[in-house]
Each structure stands twice: as C-alpha cells, then as structure tokens.
Amino acid sequence: MIVKLEVNEEIYEVHVEPHETLIAVLRDKIGLTGAKRGCDVGGCGACTVLLDGRPVYSCMVFAARAEGKKVTTIEGLAKDGKLHPVQEAFIKHGAVQCGYCTPGMILSAKALLDKNLNPTEDEVREAIAGNLCRCTGYVKVVKAILAAAEMIREGRKSE
Amino acid sequence: MSEAEEYSYIGKRVPRVDAIWKVTGKAEYFGDVKLPHMLIGKILTSPYPHARIISIDTSKAERLSGVRAAVTSKDMPETALDFYLPGMKGVLFENFPLAIDKVRFIGKEVAAVAADNESIAEEALKLIDVKYEVLEAIFDPEQSMKPNAPRLYDGVENNIARTLSKTHGEVDKGFEEADYIFEDEFKTQPQYHSAMERKGCVCSWDVEGNLTMWTPTQTPHLIRWEVSTVLEISMAKVRVINPNCGGGFGAHAHIVHPYMIICAILAKKAGKPVKVEFGRGEDFAYAATAPPFIVKLKSGVRKDGKLTAREVKMIVDCGAHTLSALGQMKLGYYTACVHLYKAPNIKFDGYVVYTNNPIRTLPYRGFGNPQVAWAIESQMDIIADKLGMDPMELRLRNLFEPGEISVTGCKFDAYGLPECIKKAAETANWSEKKREGMPNRGIGMACLVHISGQVVYDSIETSSVLLIAKEDGSFDLYTDCSEIGTGIWTVCQQIAAETLGTRLEDIKVTGGDTAVGVFELGSYASRATYSVGNAVKIAATDMMQQLFEVAATMLAAKVEDLEAKDGEIYVKNAPEQKVPISEVTYYAHFKLGKVLISKGIWNMPIGPYDPSADRWPPPGMCTSYPFGCQVAEVEVDPKTGKVELLSLTAAHDVGFPINLNSVEGQIEGGLVMGCGYALTENLTTEEGRVLVTDFADYFVWRAPDIPQIKPIVVTTNDSYGPFGAKGLGEPVLVPTAPAIANAIYDAIGVRIKELPVTSEKILKALKERR
C-alpha cells in the first residue's frame, strides 16, 4: 500500500507492506539512518523517534500507523543549520561516547523538555529510562539535558 | 611536574571531534552502509551442544528464488582462524569459520546463505538439511577435567586446553609464617558486552580481487592481518573500513570473527556485496562474553595483617575454543594476584578447560582482571573481618613501597594507589560511616592495578601515526586507532595541537580505514591514550622541528630560539618577530620544495620476558600502571534481599587527564557496567543453550537505576605516558563488583562468593544463617 508520511516536515509517499515497521521505512526507503536498530523488540531505545511529539520505539510501530502524524527524527532537529539546545548540550557536556544511543536519547530528552522546561533530575532519568546506554553511565547525559533545559529557559527570557 | 594550567588544550574539557556527527545522526555505522545490489547473508548454526555432522545438503536452499549463494565448510579456506601476529600463532585451536566435521556448542556456524533480502535468506536457512549424530556433552568445567568426561577433541587429555604454572619464593615456608590461613572459592559469570550496536559486517570484492570489509572493530589492522592470512591474499588487497563502532568493550578487539570470513566468501561466491547483521537475539546467542572463572584462593596472613603467602588455582571455562581465555587468565594473575598487594611467596596453577558451553571468550573490559580481583578483593575483607581490622588499613599494610621492584620485575613509575585509597575514603566519609554502622547499611572498598598496553602475549606493542602539513597551515593526522567511543581521536587532536603550538581546529583527525593509515594495534588493553598518544607526540615534535627549520630561515633566527603558540612561530626573547604557521607551510612547499610530513611510532619500551624466572627487567610487563580505589555504599532489605546502591566513589590514578570529560565519562560508564557485573548481569545458559534473547532477560542498568557517582581523578604524572597519561578504560570496571559485595557484607553480614550477587542469593544466605 502507499502511505503518506510526514517526516521532519517533509511529505514522503512510500510503498510499504502492512507489517513493515517505521524504523525499516525510515532507514531503507526514506534514507534517514539516524534512528538506529539495536534490538527490534522495543528493548533498547536506539530507534526512538517522535510521533506527534511523543517518543516511540520506531521498531514497534507499523509504518502505516504513522500516516497523518508528524514524525520527527534526529535529522529534523537542527533548524537552519543551528543545533537544538539538547544537541549543543550533549556536545558541551561530554554526553556522547560511541554515539549509537545518542539520537534516541536526544529525542527522548527533547520530548521531555517540550512539555516540561523545569524537570528535576529524577524526571530526566525517567524520561530516558527507555534508552539504554552502555558507555556513559548516564551521568553526563542527565547533566546535559538539565543544562539544555536551562539554555532554553534563558533563551526564552532574553527573547 | 606538569600542570593543566601550563597547557592550552591538555587537561581541558575539549569537545569531541566526532560529537557533531553523532548528535545529528550523521555518524555512519556499518549497518548504515548500503551498496548497490547488496545481498543479505544469514548463518545457520548448530542446535546441538556436541554432535558429529553426518551430511549437509544445501541444494533445496540454493533452488529457492532469490538465493544467490550457499556455503558450507567445503567453500571455506583451509586455514583456521587464529592470531597471526608474530609470537601469537597457535593461540587458537580448530577454530574454523564453518564447522567441518563436528559441532561443539550450540551456535557454532554450520552453513550460510546470501539472498536478495532477509526473509528469503531466513527461508533458505530452513531448507538446509543437516544430519547430525548427537554426542554426549559436558557443561561443568570441573567435571570436564575428569578422566571419564566426554572429550571435545581427540588428543586433548581431560579437556584441558592450556595450563599455566608460576611460583615465586617459598610458598610452604610462607604459610608456616602465617598466623591465619584463609581458603575460599570464588566464581564469576559470563557477562555480555551489551554494545548497543549489534555485530556484523559488509563485504565487497572488486574485479581485481580486492576485498573491502566494513565492520565495527577495535583493531582494523589486526582484522586485516588475520583476514588476509586466512584468505591467502596480500594485505594490500584487504581494506578494512571501520565506520563508527557502536561500543567495543572487547567484543571487537583483536579477533577475526567467523562471520567475517563467511561474509567474505558469500560475497565472492555470489559476485555481489553481502551484509551480515545480527539480530539482538542472535547477538546474545553468539555468546561473546567475559569467560567465567573459578578462583580457589589460599592466603597466609600474620596477625598484623601482612600477607605471607598466596596459593591460587584458577579454572577458566573457555567453551569449545580457547580464544582469549589463556590471555585473560594470565593477566588476572599478573594484575590482581601479583601486583595489587605484596605477597612475597606465590604459587599459581591455572587451567583453561574445554566444555560444550556456548561461550566465546572474547576480550572483555579488564581482560581477566575483574574476575581475579573479585576473588582477591572479596577475600581481603574476609581477612580483615577475622583480624578485626579496618579493611582499608589491611589494604594499606600490604601495599608496595615506592620504587620497590616486584617478584616479576615490575617497578611502578607513578604509584598512585595510596593516594587513590586516601581520596576515595575521604570523599566517601569512610571512617565515619564505618563507625556509624547503621542497620542494614554498609560500606565497602576495593582496589585495582592494571596495565597500559597488552603484555600477555609475547608479541608486538606498537602504535604509529602520520602527520601531514597542508599548504595553509592546517594538518591531517592519520591514526588507525578505532574511535569506539572513548574519545581517542579528540585526545590525538589535543596532543598534536598542544605539541605543535597550533589551534585545535587546525588538526583534522582521520582514521578507521586501513587503506589510509599506517599500522596500529588498536583500541584495547587500556593502551590507546598511552600508546597512540605517544606516537602523536613524537610525530608532532618532529613536525615542529621541520616547521622551526623553515621559520628560522624566514625570520633569520636560530631554531633553538623559536617557540610556537596559537598558530604562530615567534622568537622567544623577541616575540614581535613572528610568522604564522600557515605562511611557514606555504613557504616550505612552494618556495623551498619541502613536503612537510612526519611520522610517529611508539614501541612500548620494555625488556624481554624471561619465562624461567617469570620476570621482566624493570619497569616490567609494561611501563605505566594505572591504579584505583572504589568505595560503594549500600542498603540491603533483609526481608527481600534487595540491594539499594546508594553511592559509588571512584578514585583513579590516570597519570594525567588529557581530556577531563572523557576521563570522567570512562569512570562513570565503567562503574555502571560494574554495577551490572556485581548485581544483575548474567548470560544464563541451560544445557549449553543461551536463555537470554533480549534486554528483558538481561538486566543492563538504566538511567533511573544508577546511584550517586563521584569520580575522582588522581594525577601522578607517569614518566612514560604522553603528558604523563596512562590507561583508564579497563581499570574502571575492575573493583566495582567486590566493592559492592564488601558493602553488602558490611550491611548484613552475608558473604556471597559467586557473581552476580542477586537478591535470591542474599536471601538464601540470610535464611541459612538463621
């Protein structure tokens, strides 16, 4: 079947099989490989994307079910060549190591900050509970997300 | 000696060179590689732990539409997979990519196909008809050593793959001098690396017979060496491209995996590129783990706490192939047994034993040290308890003297262990907490010594890099050390920029492609910052000299009077006389006809090993020994056995921290991996079958689970390391498990000697005590 997917504010008309997952379509048919395949069973979070602003495991969502919703992948986060504050904070605070979990981690963080700009440390940890990371021990990831929240708050104040 | 304030980039929180790629999703991993007409390869594995292969029929699979190639052992090269480095050949045994006549564990590769897509490949595997004669299997390593146990190999008596014995001093006399003798047995579990990226590779042959392989690896040059040897083609015809590597931890160190050769042969036979990418379940079932150890430890101690003798017996289950089990046993002996505390009399007997367990004993962060430190550091607390001594005090009484030479000839250039213990204890309020003794709360400590650079094989220990000046004063730095996430490329950039007196952004680090760089052992054995860093420093110093010679002509000054900073070369006593490096490189190339290229090579400067004395000349088995001390604080619920980890304090002697973000990142990540090793992670098997299929069955710690973490960086300025730095990647994992177990004992008086320390084990021990 042909489905119309809105990914990062672009419309794609793609032929998909009914059982095809969103991660497969994003990576193999649309060419957006930022979402990573880590387990294919919703256990690691490397494939996290946003669906209408909410983080989902794209390996657990049929592509056809994403029709009519806004899909945001890591490639859609930077605007006009400017990084999103979460991306900037990940760089500045050393929250990146091997990088395989990073796109999913950043999207989970963005979803949190979009609805809560003053999260506690525990809220940040809960927001990324579905994203496994073997390298960092999460400490700098949590620090970066809290710093990003502050950057966004400060930015809004000065506007 | 050196201080961070003196430097422009060293010791600073410099952002990583690869971070921008990774936060934007643009970093390419092997799974993102897509070549025209690429096929998908799938591997059929043995369902039996021990069986003879009677026949394999692939004809039905080959007739399936969309199948482009099917292979069995008949299609494979005759050369076994092995380490083909000088001095290392023969380490492995009967390790062929596809099983020839027997399978010795569930999961051994038997046949493979390449097809147009994954579902056709999976369908084809079902059509391969393999007839087996099932044989009796053995799973317990100690039972496996008995004469009546089923044999895995003809001619291998009692399934003992390797033995190793060492003696120093007079052990019997040492035990006679002891006031107390302690005998305990400790066990560790197979721990899965849990790299977020799954294993696999892409292989493609060109018309000239050159093979290109994209694969996540910690050691691209070793993979090339081994692949070219096995396939019997020249090194120049094999190009290994390591895109980004989604986590190493040893899973991608050193060894050429069977799937790499299988994929290469499939691609050759099909005449098209082939990708083999494991599913997570397959990755678990591939059972690449830290080998499980049994450590039987007998220690003699005087009333004052001084160790008088140690007798250690290790039994390492290597599954059906030795792989790195012998090396890990050796390193466990040389680190935790011999060099953590001073025991003047030591006897060591080690056995690497074959079983039909589905274990591939790959390197694992710490390479045998965590397994043996688990035993040594658990028993230190048993000893302290018996003597009524503070466990910290017991440890302090058994340290080496500064400058002392160990029984194997090791001399610690920078000995930061005493300071690590002091700082960790201070930060964790050790003495106060010990006095308080709150009910069900406990505090525990464990220490470590490790190496910077591999020493357990009598082989090469080399890094090399190339530095090329561009016409505008920027530089290309080529290293083939894999960037597996540790931040080594950024370390290279910092060291080059600092040494050259130029700006960070003027150094472009390139690597991960054997067609571009020069020989590099790779990113493992806690060697990268130490060894590659030294090679970069040598190359940059040479380049500096070349730049100064040109600048001296331009400034009409003497070379020895010149200095460089922020991209400019100037006369020391007359800084107004200066020239930008960009003009120097331009002038050199176009006016003087000089191509400014430098190279750096670092061969670890240690002397020859004397096997009869089990000794190296000082500084010993390596030049730069990392140390550390970790303190854990726990609360245990005696009703459920549940352990709440309250805090972890970790003081590590890193020599000198080149990049503070990366140093802390290693400590934090290693600690959390250690939490899993201590309490939750176990690649459980039953009758030779891996029971874990996804992360729901294998508990890697998540963000809400982690305790408060306090990393402490101890600076000791090692004389051999670049800017005083030594290794860190592996040490961070080593003492975490015993520190936590010691805290649990302190909390509720229960001593668990087998990892992981689960609630079930604690509860059972509590019940038995009542």
Side-chain angles (χ1 to χ4, degrees):
Chain A
M1 62 175 126
I2 304 282
V3 297
K4 233 185 224 181
L5 292 179
E6 186 186 336
V7 184
N8 303 332
E9 297 170 3
E10 295 262 351
I11 305 290
Y12 298 87
E13 282 190 33
V14 275
H15 180 85
V16 307
E17 302 293 331
H19 64 271
E20 230 173 336
T21 58
L22 182 56
I23 181 83
V25 171
L26 286 173
R27 289 178 56 85
D28 301 336
K29 295 191 170 161
I30 298 181
L32 295 170
T33 55
K36 299 297 170 202
R37 293 177 68 162
C39 70
D40 289 336
V41 293
C44 75
C47 68
T48 302
V49 301
L50 303 184
L51 213 53
D52 282 343
R54 292 177 53 188
V56 295
Y57 292 144
S58 61
C59 71
M60 301 298 282
V61 176
F62 289 124
R65 296 291 295 271
E67 201 169 30
K69 297 190 164 107
K70 288 181 195 304
V71 181
T72 308
T73 73
I74 191 70
E75 290 92 341
L77 225 55
K79 293 272 182 268
D80 307 321
K82 193 175 171 347
L83 295 179
H84 186 276
V86 177
Q87 292 172 309
E88 274 185 49
F90 266 56
I91 296 176
K92 186 174 174 214
H93 294 274
V96 177
Q97 287 191 30
C98 89
Y100 207 76
C101 74
T102 306
M105 201 70 97
I106 287 176
L107 288 169
S108 290
K110 179 187 186 291
L112 168 73
L113 301 187
D114 282 346
K115 59 178 201 263
N116 178 5
L117 255 189
N118 289 288
T120 63
E121 190 174 325
D122 281 348
E123 284 169 334
V124 170
R125 288 178 178 212
E126 280 304 325
I128 57 167
N131 298 83
L132 273 185
C133 169
R134 190 57 150 175
C135 297
T136 63
Y138 309 101
V139 178
K140 298 209 184 304
V141 174
V142 172
K143 202 179 277 179
I145 296 169
L146 290 169
E150 197 183 331
M151 277 163 68
I152 299 170
R153 289 196 305 267
E154 294 298 313
R156 296 223 175 132
K157 242 188 258 169
S158 63
E159 267 167 21
Chain B
M1 269 193 301
S2 39
E3 291 298 332
E5 293 79 55
E6 293 172 27
Y7 299 127
S8 303
Y9 312 114
I10 300 292
K12 304 291 191 285
R13 295 181 188 275
V14 169
R16 295 169 61 114
V17 296
D18 52 346
I20 183 72
W21 295 85
K22 290 175 174 174
V23 301
T24 52
K26 300 289 185 196
E28 189 178 64
Y29 299 79
F30 96 92
D32 304 327
V33 173
K34 207 172 176 181
L35 303 176
H37 312 297
M38 188 171 77
L39 306 174
I40 298 299
K42 280 275 167 195
I43 300 169
L44 183 71
T45 59
S46 161
Y48 301 110
H50 198 190
R52 203 176 303 285
I53 298 172
I54 307 295
S55 64
I56 306 177
D57 182 359
T58 58
S59 58
K60 272 190 201 158
E62 281 169 75
R63 284 200 298 272
L64 183 68
S65 175
V67 172
R68 305 300 165 191
V71 292
T72 67
S73 64
K74 291 193 181 72
D75 302 285
M76 292 292 129
E78 287 176 7
T79 313
L81 307 184
D82 203 337
F83 299 135
Y84 286 103
L85 288 180
M88 289 179 69
K89 190 172 178 315
V91 169
L92 308 189
F93 186 62
E94 295 226 6
N95 188 28
F96 292 94
L98 287 170
I100 293 179
D101 51 355
K102 256 179 113 179
V103 289
R104 296 177 176 90
F105 63 99
I106 295 173
K108 176 60 203 168
E109 299 83 354
V110 173
V113 297
D116 291 350
N117 62 45
E118 196 170 348
S119 53
I120 297 173
E122 276 169 1
E123 193 56 37
L125 287 192
K126 291 180 199 154
L127 297 175
I128 297 176
D129 185 22
V130 188
K131 291 200 166 40
Y132 295 97
E133 176 199 344
V134 178
L135 303 170
E136 198 191 341
I138 179 85
F139 306 109
D140 181 308
E142 288 185 285
Q143 293 298 325
S144 187
M145 294 164 77
K146 293 192 171 155
N148 57 349
R151 292 280 165 86
L152 267 76
Y153 295 95
D154 295 334
V156 178
E157 290 296 309
N158 300 333
N159 292 322
I160 297 175
R162 294 282 191 283
T163 58
L164 189 72
S165 291
K166 308 278 179 199
T167 307
H168 291 280
E170 295 173 67
V171 178
D172 292 341
K173 197 164 152 259
F175 282 119
E176 279 167 28
E177 287 167 11
D179 295 311
Y180 300 100
I181 290 174
F182 296 83
E183 286 187 78
D184 298 284
E185 182 176 314
F186 299 91
K187 289 184 178 177
T188 65
Q189 79 281 38
Q191 189 184 20
Y192 169 70
H193 300 82
S194 310
M196 287 297 103
E197 179 187 29
R198 301 163 301 180
K199 296 179 193 70
C201 63
V202 175
C203 287
S204 177
W205 295 82
D206 69 15
V207 69
E208 206 188 320
N210 300 304
L211 169 66
T212 304
M213 181 188 287
W214 289 259
T215 193
T217 173
Q218 297 170 240
T219 53
H221 281 265
L222 299 187
I223 296 296
R224 176 168 78 167
W225 198 318
E226 290 162 11
V227 167
S228 69
T229 309
V230 170
L231 296 179
E232 295 181 10
I233 53 178
S234 72
M235 277 190 190
K237 280 183 174 294
V238 178
R239 177 178 183 187
V240 177
I241 298 178
N242 180 33
N244 287 280
C245 176
F249 317 114
H252 297 298
H254 226 288
I255 278 171
V256 49
H257 291 279
Y259 59 78
M260 294 173 174
I261 301 297
I262 295 167
C263 184
I265 300 293
L266 278 172
K268 190 162 202 181
K269 204 170 171 188
K272 287 178 178 174
V274 175
K275 176 193 275 186
V276 170
E277 186 175 14
F278 285 10
R280 183 57 72 180
E282 288 174 293
D283 209 84
F284 275 112
Y286 191 77
T289 72
F293 276 46
I294 300 169
V295 180
K296 297 173 194 243
L297 185 58
K298 180 178 172 187
S299 300
V301 188
R302 288 199 322 233
K303 277 183 189 149
D304 64 2
K306 288 262 190 191
L307 291 163
T308 59
R310 267 216 166 120
E311 199 173 300
V312 190
K313 185 179 174 187
M314 294 184 205
I315 296 164
V316 179
D317 179 358
C318 70
H321 299 285
T322 48
L323 296 178
S324 70
L326 178 68
Q328 300 205 36
M329 189 173 76
K330 265 186 176 177
L331 190 66
Y333 160 72
Y334 283 122
T335 50
C337 271
V338 181
H339 290 109
L340 186 49
Y341 303 112
K342 199 165 71 177
N345 308 295
I346 299 170
K347 185 172 186 302
F348 165 64
D349 292 294
Y351 304 86
V352 175
V353 181
Y354 291 124
T355 66
N356 297 109
N357 282 321
I359 295 169
R360 303 189 201 229
T361 62
L362 294 193
Y364 199 106
R365 197 175 204 168
F367 207 68
N369 193 355
Q371 290 94 322
V372 182
W374 163 244
I376 296 282
E377 284 298 72
S378 292
Q379 201 191 47
M380 284 303 270
D381 270 41
I382 294 174
I383 296 169
D385 194 47
K386 173 84 179 171
L387 298 181
M389 191 180 282
D390 182 333
M392 177 173 72
E393 180 58 31
L394 178 69
R395 286 173 170 81
L396 290 171
R397 288 190 186 188
N398 285 286
L399 298 183
F400 287 82
E401 297 298 323
E404 190 173 350
I405 294 171
S406 81
V407 289
T408 63
C410 297
K411 185 169 180 244
F412 307 139
D413 178 75
Y415 188 38
L417 184 53
E419 193 182 341
C420 287
I421 295 174
K422 187 169 162 269
K423 286 208 165 140
E426 272 172 15
T427 306
N429 285 326
W430 173 268
S431 303
E432 197 179 311
K433 294 251 164 72
K434 269 284 178 199
R435 267 200 311 277
E436 275 174 10
M438 280 167 68
N440 303 324
R441 277 213 183 187
I443 190 163
M445 168 182 286
C447 301
L448 86 300
V449 56
H450 202 67
I451 44 149
S452 312
Q454 70 98 8
V455 293
V456 293
Y457 303 109
D458 185 17
S459 188
I460 47 180
E461 178 39 82
T462 300
S463 285
S464 30
V465 300
L466 286 180
L467 188 59
I468 302 177
K470 302 284 134 186
E471 299 76 53
D472 65 350
S474 60
F475 298 85
D476 265 327
L477 174 59
Y478 294 102
T479 168
D480 259 355
C481 189
S482 298
E483 175 53 270
I484 59 172
T486 60
I488 181 62
W489 287 10
T490 313
V491 162
C492 289
Q493 186 196 42
Q494 289 174 267
I495 291 177
E498 188 74 51
T499 310
L500 280 170
T502 186
R503 297 164 302 191
L504 274 179
E505 59 268 28
D506 290 332
I507 308 288
K508 167 89 171 70
V509 183
T510 302
D513 184 345
T514 58
V516 179
V518 283
F519 183 82
E520 170 57 53
L521 265 182
S523 184
Y524 67 103
S526 304
R527 63 184 297 285
T529 293
Y530 161 81
S531 182
V532 186
N534 267 325
V536 171
K537 196 159 180 243
I538 290 165
T541 305
D542 179 337
M543 177 61 76
M544 178 96 279
Q545 185 64 23
Q546 295 184 44
L547 291 169
F548 279 2
E549 279 166 20
V550 176
T553 318
M554 294 170 82
L555 293 169
K558 287 185 187 153
V559 168
E560 56 270 28
D561 291 341
L562 297 180
E563 262 184 1
K565 197 164 184 169
D566 300 332
E568 289 183 326
I569 296 173
Y570 58 91
V571 180
K572 255 179 263 179
N573 297 325
E576 68 285 355
Q577 288 184 52
K578 62 183 180 182
V579 56
I581 290 177
S582 57
E583 283 180 28
V584 177
T585 55
Y586 180 90
Y587 189 85
H589 204 99
F590 297 109
K591 302 289 179 195
L592 303 180
K594 278 188 179 174
V595 179
L596 300 180
I597 298 180
S598 68
K599 54 195 185 295
I601 182 160
W602 178 259
N603 280 308
M604 187 159 75
I606 59 167
Y609 173 66
D610 174 359
S612 62
D614 186 30
R615 202 179 164 89
W616 291 262
M621 58 179 171
C622 73
T623 63
S624 307
Y625 302 84
F627 299 93
C629 174
Q630 297 181 0
V631 174
E633 218 187 325
V634 301
E635 182 161 357
V636 186
D637 182 341
K639 289 194 203 75
T640 60
K642 192 177 182 305
V643 177
E644 193 189 344
L645 193 51
L646 303 172
S647 74
L648 283 171
T649 305
H652 286 271
D653 168 11
V654 302
F656 193 85
I658 304 286
N659 188 321
L660 272 172
N661 271 350
S662 296
V663 163
E664 289 171 359
Q666 285 298 311
I667 295 176
E668 291 153 359
L671 285 171
V672 174
M673 190 182 248
C675 293
Y677 193 46
L679 298 172
T680 60
E681 293 181 33
N682 191 1
L683 196 77
T684 45
T685 61
E686 194 177 271
E687 297 287 294
R689 187 178 302 279
V690 174
L691 298 179
V692 176
T693 57
D694 59 53
F695 283 115
D697 308 323
Y698 188 88
F699 192 82
V700 170
W701 286 42
R702 293 173 183 269
D705 309 320
I706 61 165
Q708 190 189 10
I709 288 177
K710 300 175 215 166
I712 301 163
V713 178
V714 171
T715 301
T716 52
N717 295 306
D718 187 86
S719 311
Y720 297 91
F723 296 94
K726 37 190 180 183
L728 176 66
E730 295 178 294
V732 287
L733 174 72
V734 175
T736 317
I740 292 171
N742 289 341
I744 292 170
Y745 180 83
D746 188 50
I748 50 163
V750 158
R751 171 68 56 188
I752 308 296
K753 296 179 184 173
E754 183 175 358
L755 284 174
V757 184
T758 58
S759 305
E760 291 81 3
K761 286 180 195 168
I762 292 172
L763 211 51
K764 188 163 168 274
L766 280 169
K767 278 183 185 154
E768 281 166 8
R769 199 181 57 180
R770 283 182 204 131

